[in-house]
């Protein structure tokens, strides 16, 4: 090569490199702008708040400790002085998400250019940018990029490792392998899940450069670089003896290994067997569809085929990476969506190659044709972003900060010495405001009590009840079952020993209001009378019995002509009230989606459910007028009402069961069925439930599938978080997005000793923390119970 030619070649390479950097910067700016626009402004319940306060105080997080994240976030908090510590830590997640999008762009550029594409650099760059943006607007990455968490950093580490391999393949330079080895060490320290890609890395390096086995200097350099990357682990033994939060014994081998290897969390791993793998694959397909949609999935498959045909080595690398992560993740039941980030992000390369192949296949003849195809592809990515934007934003999320403010308003300076018995989720924002903010609740006012497996709810209540008042962060049926009265107080639950005679102050006090002369209504709380279609309005009732009552007296409500008769689930029923005590219960009013806008009277009635059943008079009338609710429309209320009308059932105005498919052997039933489905004891019943999200969930749900005999007794049950633990509806904030459809497959093996006979299959949901069942409503808004009977089963002998 002559000197002028060599100079031109270097200039061309330099120009392309500058273009790559510019494209990466532009995508980073776009992704970061999107994430910042939807960023959480403060704390969140659960782990996100821990990820905010631990680096701020140089503490130690929950297992595996996240040493690298703690050091990274701690430096970030001190260097990026923007807003509160909570906000700037959320910004770190946004930065990590934007970094991921840029690595997808650069990987797609490198592989696309070298895959034999006939297109000019500008079109390869266009496909790479679309791939980066397509990954950026995928819901899972988006959700993890708008609040503090370590998992988006995990995904940033693994995508950077893959990028190092691409750069090494391009230049065959040892420096890239050394950087990769360093990042492998960083990844191991940060979170063990990052090691699931390492076997694919090693296999690819051996295939591309088998001589490396004889290059002792390179091997020793890689080992040294990995060890250097693992140095952040020294933070644990150095900090642990004096940490303000976290284990104090990590200067010992036992303490270090127990915490850094997350020994206590291993029960959540590899939860499913071989027979469950087809369903686990269906779960992944469902979650993948929620990320990219079917059209983009088609492009991912097209890009994967392109990779196999043009760069089989990279296809092996990417396939091995995906296989390692998916085998681990899909068989775990904790943080599955966080772990799936690695696979979802890695699919950015085949997505970009799919864009590139589409441009080659469908636009080769005329420039306007290629521009048309390019516009359609860009529109697909833009449509995903537009669909997701209003559903995923946390920019107005204040629930955790408001909860801490409520704690302060309730206890600060009151001298109650109250014990706040709480789960982890409600304590972490309190810890943040205590360690980082200016919240200083004295022990004389407030004592937080963390519920663990070693100190569960009931034991914690008993241990502190003699020391002062006890409050719970959640409604707990196990505490109520022991005879305690759980009185709602804002977002807290006061624990009272019977008789509960502590005075109350209802928002609306009632005088001389009696139900059938037996139950005195003292008042009620109704937080608002201006409601929207689909809204859930809490109604709190205060009542008292003067003598022992042997029958169950239950309230019901009417909103105009819509009747909602609440179930007895999770209620302190009247036969268990003691004379003279004040019982406070909270009931939901569900405003139907299809209810026309207008003013509707809200009336309260009572019915006797045992003995001589029937409706009871209230001061000589059949019902009591509480107030008039003004119902206003929501933009998609008519559409949602139509979806509800077409569904099997509506669960609490938040989730609809859209369809059901049951199969035993070769026999199939769709929807609700009347003809018995015959199932042999000891064999599997295959069930597919399709859920549709109507509104952002307000709590995490457990799906229950119960087999009930002719006498109503439960004979077999399967209770689990949706998708086998893979996709909680609510985890610190709503995870399910309005409009999403979740396809949930189940393989239910009936007990071999189940007696032959007639049974019915029931389905519903209950709140994970409180075990309270979610009420179900008919299309017009009538409350119809708390479970749906799908149909009869005939169990035959094995």
């Amino acid at each position: 090569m002559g000197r002028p030619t060599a100079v031109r070649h270097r200039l061309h390479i330099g120009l392309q490199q500058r273009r790559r950097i510019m494209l990466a910067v532009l995508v980073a700016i776009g992704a970061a702008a999107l994430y910042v626009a939807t960023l959480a402004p403060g704390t969140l319940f659960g782990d996100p708040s821990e990820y905010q306060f631990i680096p701020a105080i140089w503490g130690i997080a929950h297992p595996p400790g996240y040493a690298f994240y703690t050091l990274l976030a701690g430096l970030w908090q001190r260097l990026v002085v923007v807003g509160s510590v909570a906000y700037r830590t959320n910004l770190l997640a946004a930065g990590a998400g934007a970094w991921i999008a840029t690595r997808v762009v650069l990987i797609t550029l490198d592989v696309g250019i070298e895959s034999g594409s006939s297109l000019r650099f500008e079109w390869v760059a266009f496909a790479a940018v679309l791939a980066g943006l397509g990954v950026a607007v995928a819901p899972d990455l988006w959700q993890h990029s708008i609040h503090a968490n370590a998992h988006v950093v995990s995904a940033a580490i693994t995508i950077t490792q893959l990028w190092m391999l691409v750069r090494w393949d391009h230049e065959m330079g040892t420096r890239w392998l050394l950087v990769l080895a360093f990042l492998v060490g960083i990844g191991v320290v940060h979170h063990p899940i990052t090691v699931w890609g390492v076997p694919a890395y090693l296999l690819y390096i051996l295939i591309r450069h088998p001589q490396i086995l004889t290059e002792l200097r390179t091997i020793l350099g890689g080992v040294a670089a990995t060890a250097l990357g693992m140095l952040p682990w020294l933070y644990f033994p150095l900090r642990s003896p004096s940490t303000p939060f976290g284990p104090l014994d990590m200067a010992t081998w036992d303490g270090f290994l127990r915490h850094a290897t997350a020994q206590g969390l291993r029960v959540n791993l590899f939860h499913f067997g071989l027979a469950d793998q087809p369903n686990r694959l269906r779960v992944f397909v469902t979650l993948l569809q929620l990320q990219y949609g079917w059209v983009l999935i088609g492009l991912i498959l097209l890009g994967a085929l392109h990779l196999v045909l043009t760069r089989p080595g990279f296809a092996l690398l990417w396939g091995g990476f995906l296989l390692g992560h998916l085998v681990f993740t899909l068989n775990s039941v904790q943080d599955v969506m966080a772990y799936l980030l690695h696979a979802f992000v890695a699919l950015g390369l085949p997505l970009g190659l799919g864009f590139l192949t589409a441009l080659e296949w469908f636009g080769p003849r005329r420039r306007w044709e290629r521009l048309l195809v390019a516009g359609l592809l860009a529109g697909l990515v833009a449509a995903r972003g537009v669909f997701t934007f209003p559903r995923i934003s946390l920019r107005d999320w204040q629930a955790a900060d408001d909860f801490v403010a409520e704690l302060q308003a309730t206890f600060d300076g009151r001298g109650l010495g109250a014990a706040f018995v709480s789960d982890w989720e409600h304590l972490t924002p309190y810890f943040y405001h205590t360690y980082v903010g200016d919240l200083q609740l004295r022990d004389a006012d407030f004592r937080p009590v963390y519920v663990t497996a070693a100190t569960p709810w009931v034991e914690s209540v008993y241990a502190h009840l003699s020391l002062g008042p006890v409050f719970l962060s959640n409604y707990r049926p196990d505490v109520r079952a022991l005879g305690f009265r759980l009185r709602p107080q804002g977002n807290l639950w006061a624990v009272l020993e019977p008789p509960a005679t502590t005075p109350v102050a209802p928002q609306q006090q009632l005088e001389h209001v009696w139900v059938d002369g037996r139950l005195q209504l003292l008042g009620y709380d109704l937080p608002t009378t201006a409601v929207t279609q689909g809204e859930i309005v809490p109604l709190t009732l205060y009542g008292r019995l003067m003598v022992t009552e042997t029958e169950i007296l239950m309230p019901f409500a009417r909103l105009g002509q819509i009747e909602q008769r609440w179930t007895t689930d999770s209620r302190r029923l009247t036969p268990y009230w003691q004379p003279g005590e004040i019982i406070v219960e909270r009931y939901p009013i569900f405003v139907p989606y299809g209810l026309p806008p207008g003013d509707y009277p809200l009336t309260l009635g009572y019915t006797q459910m045992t003995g001589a059943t029937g409706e009871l008079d209230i001061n000589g009338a059949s019902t009591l007028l509480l107030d008039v609710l003004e119902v206003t429309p929501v933009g998609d209320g008519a559409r949602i009402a139509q979806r509800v009308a077409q569904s099997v059932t509506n669960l609490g105005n938040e989730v609809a069961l859209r369809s059901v498919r049951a199969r035993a052997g070769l026999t199939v039933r769709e929807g609700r069925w009347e003809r018995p489905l015959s199932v042999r004891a000891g064999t599997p019943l295959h069930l597919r439930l399709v859920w549709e999200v109507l509104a952002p969930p307000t709590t995490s749900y457990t799906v229950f599938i119960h087999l009930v005999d002719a006498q109503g007794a439960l004979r077999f049950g399967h209770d689990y978080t949706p998708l086998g633990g893979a996709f909680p509806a609510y985890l610190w904030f709503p995870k399910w997005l309005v409009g999403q459809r979740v396809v949930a497959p189940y393989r239910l093996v009936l007990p071999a000793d189940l007696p032959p006979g007639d049974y019915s299959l029931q389905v519903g949901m209950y709140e994970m923390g409180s075990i309270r069942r979610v009420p179900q409503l008919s299309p017009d808004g009538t409350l119809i119970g708390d479970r749906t009977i799908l149909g009869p089963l005939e169990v035959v002998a094995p």
Side-chain angles (χ1 to χ4, degrees):
M1 181 183 295
R3 183 179 179 83
T5 303
V7 171
R8 284 196 300 271
H9 179 72
R10 286 196 297 271
L11 289 174
H12 176 71
I13 296 297
L15 178 61
Q16 277 207 358
Q17 189 61 28
R18 288 193 295 273
R19 288 177 176 177
R20 294 168 191 256
I21 294 173
M22 182 181 68
L23 289 172
V25 169
L26 288 176
V27 170
I29 292 173
L34 186 67
Y35 297 151
V36 171
T38 53
L39 196 71
T43 65
L44 284 83
F45 292 116
D47 290 359
S49 288
E50 183 193 17
Y51 293 129
Q52 292 168 336
F53 79 80
I54 285 293
I57 63 173
W58 298 121
I60 297 176
H62 68 272
Y66 303 98
F68 174 72
Y69 173 84
T70 300
L71 296 174
L72 174 67
L75 291 174
W76 175 278
Q77 290 171 344
R78 290 157 176 82
L79 296 176
V80 182
V81 188
V82 178
S84 67
V85 170
Y87 180 78
R88 70 185 71 152
T89 317
N90 296 339
L91 276 177
L92 174 60
W99 172 266
I100 288 170
T102 64
R103 297 316 95 182
V104 171
V105 171
L106 294 176
I107 289 171
T108 305
L109 273 172
D110 280 340
V111 178
I113 289 172
E114 297 179 5
S115 64
S117 173
S118 61
L119 298 177
R120 295 174 55 186
F121 175 83
E122 288 76 9
W123 290 111
V124 179
F126 177 78
V129 168
L130 281 190
L133 295 177
V135 169
V137 300
D140 197 27
L141 179 59
W142 195 337
Q143 285 183 325
H144 281 88
S145 299
I146 57 177
H147 67 83
N149 69 98
H151 300 292
V152 70
V153 176
S154 298
I157 291 171
T158 55
I159 195 64
T160 307
Q161 291 170 351
L162 288 169
W163 179 52
M164 289 297 102
L165 279 172
V166 172
R167 297 306 303 157
W168 170 75
D169 182 87
H170 178 70
E171 298 181 12
M172 299 304 289
T174 303
R175 57 175 178 158
W176 298 110
L177 289 184
L178 295 180
V179 176
L180 170 64
F182 175 77
L183 290 173
V184 167
I186 288 289
V188 170
V189 172
H190 175 71
H191 196 289
I193 193 176
T194 60
V195 305
W196 290 98
V198 173
Y201 305 161
L202 296 176
L203 179 61
Y204 180 71
I205 292 169
L206 285 174
I207 291 174
R208 286 287 289 126
H209 187 59
Q211 298 88 348
I212 197 172
L213 293 176
T214 63
E215 298 174 1
L216 183 60
R217 183 176 179 180
T218 301
I219 293 174
L220 292 178
V223 171
T226 303
L228 184 64
M230 297 170 71
L231 284 179
W233 256 343
L234 292 176
Y235 173 78
F236 289 153
L238 293 174
R239 183 59 173 160
S240 179
S242 59
T243 182
F245 192 98
L248 301 174
D249 62 346
M250 292 189 72
T252 67
W253 276 113
D254 287 344
F256 176 86
L257 291 175
R258 183 182 63 253
H259 200 78
T261 61
Q263 291 179 11
L265 301 179
R266 293 180 186 174
V267 295
N268 298 298
L269 309 181
F270 298 107
H271 192 79
F272 301 94
L274 283 176
D276 299 305
Q277 295 312 300
N279 276 350
R280 302 313 297 162
L281 182 59
R282 293 188 186 98
V283 165
F284 174 66
V285 171
T286 291
L287 297 177
L288 180 61
Q289 187 272 330
L290 295 179
Q291 302 307 308
Y292 291 112
W294 290 118
V295 177
L296 293 185
I297 290 175
L299 288 168
I300 289 172
L301 294 175
L302 181 63
L305 178 61
H306 177 95
L307 195 62
V308 169
L309 296 177
T310 62
R311 300 297 300 274
F314 274 137
L316 181 64
L317 169 62
W318 249 254
F321 178 88
L322 291 171
L323 181 64
H325 277 278
L326 291 180
V327 167
F328 169 81
T329 301
L330 293 179
N331 288 286
S332 304
V333 294
Q334 184 173 355
D335 285 333
V336 170
M337 293 305 295
Y339 297 162
L340 279 174
L341 276 174
H342 303 270
F344 291 151
V345 165
L347 290 174
L349 172 61
L351 177 61
L353 295 179
F355 287 136
L356 190 61
T357 305
L359 288 170
E360 287 185 307
W361 284 8
F362 299 106
R365 293 185 297 275
R366 297 181 180 86
R367 182 176 177 82
W368 70 266
E369 291 177 331
R370 184 167 292 155
L371 289 173
L372 177 61
V373 173
L376 291 174
L377 295 177
L380 289 173
V381 174
R384 297 296 298 175
V386 170
F387 173 83
T388 306
F389 186 89
R391 294 167 170 81
I392 210 169
S393 175
L394 293 178
R395 59 185 171 184
D396 298 320
W397 192 258
Q398 300 279 354
D401 289 328
D402 290 345
F403 182 79
V404 176
E406 180 180 357
L407 291 179
Q408 184 173 21
T410 303
F411 300 107
D412 193 16
R414 300 281 301 279
L416 296 176
F420 175 53
V421 181
S422 175
D423 56 16
W424 172 251
E425 282 71 21
H426 287 84
L427 279 180
T428 54
Y430 163 78
F431 289 148
Y432 170 86
H433 284 278
T434 298
Y435 284 110
V436 182
D438 56 2
L439 179 64
Q440 297 295 328
L441 292 177
R442 302 174 302 143
D443 288 346
D445 297 325
F446 178 86
R447 292 174 290 113
V449 179
Y450 175 31
V451 172
T452 66
T455 56
W457 292 91
V458 170
E459 285 77 356
S460 297
V461 169
Y462 275 124
H464 294 87
L465 201 58
S466 62
L467 305 177
V470 174
F471 291 81
L472 308 180
S473 60
N474 303 75
Y475 178 89
R476 294 298 307 179
D478 47 352
V479 176
R480 185 213 65 186
L482 295 175
F484 293 109
R485 279 45 174 156
L486 301 186
R487 183 177 289 179
Q489 185 172 323
N491 289 303
L492 307 177
W493 296 86
V495 179
L496 302 177
E497 294 183 271
T501 56
T502 306
V504 294
Q507 291 178 354
Q508 300 293 331
Q509 296 190 15
L510 300 174
E511 295 185 4
H512 311 298
V513 177
W514 289 84
V515 177
D516 200 39
R518 294 183 279 173
L519 189 157
Q520 184 182 12
L521 290 178
L522 302 176
Y524 61 92
D525 298 339
L526 188 65
T528 182
T529 58
V531 300
T532 60
Q533 295 169 323
E535 189 171 345
I536 306 171
V537 184
L539 171 66
T540 305
L541 299 178
Y542 300 75
R544 176 168 57 194
L545 291 171
M546 303 312 296
V547 297
T548 300
E549 178 59 61
T550 59
E551 308 296 345
I552 297 177
L553 313 182
M554 274 293 294
F556 66 88
R558 289 194 181 102
L559 181 59
Q561 300 301 313
I562 304 298
E563 187 168 275
Q564 299 190 353
R565 293 181 180 260
W566 297 296
T567 65
T568 58
D569 177 57
S570 301
R571 312 291 182 197
R572 174 62 56 183
L573 302 178
T574 50
Y576 301 96
W577 297 17
Q578 293 188 15
E581 69 177 343
I582 301 171
I583 300 297
V584 184
E585 293 278 6
R586 185 171 289 163
Y587 301 89
I589 305 292
F590 300 97
V591 182
Y593 283 101
L595 189 65
D599 294 337
Y600 295 88
L602 175 64
T603 57
L604 178 71
Y606 271 82
T607 183
Q608 182 168 307
M609 302 183 68
T610 55
T613 59
E615 295 186 6
L616 306 175
D617 75 271
I618 303 178
N619 282 12
S622 59
T623 57
L624 174 69
L625 176 64
L626 299 181
D627 218 315
V628 175
L629 299 190
E630 180 188 1
V631 178
T632 56
V634 292
D636 53 356
R639 180 190 62 83
I640 296 177
Q642 184 180 19
R643 296 291 181 87
V644 168
Q646 297 168 348
S647 299
V648 177
T649 188
N650 168 11
L651 291 90
N653 271 1
E654 292 187 350
V655 181
L657 179 56
R658 289 286 290 166
S659 67
V660 177
R661 186 178 190 273
R663 179 176 64 85
L666 298 178
T667 307
V668 175
R669 296 284 187 271
E670 302 275 359
R672 288 196 182 97
W673 64 88
E674 297 181 359
R675 289 187 300 115
L677 177 61
S678 181
V679 186
R680 192 174 301 277
T683 63
L685 169 68
H686 297 275
L687 187 68
R688 189 191 70 174
L689 306 177
V690 179
W691 307 101
E692 180 168 342
V693 185
L694 305 177
T698 53
T699 187
S700 190
Y701 294 127
T702 297
V703 177
F704 68 83
I705 304 170
H706 290 170
L707 189 67
V708 179
D709 64 20
Q711 288 72 44
L714 175 64
R715 303 305 297 268
F716 172 79
H718 181 89
D719 295 31
Y720 231 100
T721 311
L723 298 185
F727 195 35
Y730 183 105
L731 185 62
W732 310 320
F733 60 90
K735 292 288 188 177
W736 285 12
L737 305 181
V738 175
Q740 286 183 333
R741 287 195 182 184
V742 181
V743 182
Y746 296 90
R747 179 178 175 272
L748 310 170
V749 180
L750 302 187
D753 59 352
L754 189 65
D758 296 328
Y759 298 83
S760 64
L761 194 65
Q762 302 180 355
V763 169
M765 288 182 172
Y766 57 80
E767 299 173 2
M768 182 183 293
S770 68
I771 322 297
R772 291 183 296 190
R773 289 193 174 187
V774 181
Q776 299 188 21
L777 301 101
S778 67
D780 69 353
T782 301
L783 203 155
I784 55 177
D786 54 24
R787 83 279 190 272
T788 291
I789 300 176
L790 297 181
L793 292 185
E794 179 189 18
V795 175
V796 298

